[in-house]
């Protein structure tokens, strides 16, 4: 669960929280990683618009939006 949030953690967030370095990373660092991930998949999706790639692009974009809005 995102620190400072009263919302229930998503399954991926719970899974990531099991990794010690993920728990100690500043919130801004996780959000920056989400932004980089979204940018990467956006670029990959523009070159290879297959169904699998588009699902990952959509997921990365949604995660980044979630991180920005908290």
């Amino acid at each position: 669960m995102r620190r400072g949030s009263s919302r229930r953690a998503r399954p991926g967030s719970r899974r990531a929280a099991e990794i010690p370095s993920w728990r100690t990373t500043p919130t801004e660092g996780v959000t920056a990683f989400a932004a980089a991930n979204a940018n990467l998949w956006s670029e990959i999706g523009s070159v290879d618009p297959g169904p699998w790639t588009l699902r990952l692009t959509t997921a990365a974009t949604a995660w980044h939006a979630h991180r920005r809005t908290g």
Side-chain angles (χ1 to χ4, degrees):
M1 183 183 315
R2 186 172 173 190
R3 277 181 254 137
S5 174
S6 61
R7 283 195 220 170
R8 196 164 174 237
R10 293 181 174 183
S13 298
R14 283 192 300 268
R15 190 72 178 199
E18 296 173 7
I19 302 167
S21 60
W22 192 263
R23 288 191 308 262
T24 59
T25 301
T27 300
E28 297 81 15
V30 176
T31 302
F33 178 75
N37 195 42
N39 289 336
L40 173 70
W41 282 106
S42 177
E43 186 174 325
I44 292 170
S46 69
V47 175
D48 178 16
W52 181 81
T53 304
L54 291 177
R55 284 193 305 272
L56 284 172
T57 302
T58 301
T61 301
W63 182 44
H64 182 228
H66 169 74
R67 296 291 311 176
R68 285 183 305 168
T69 60

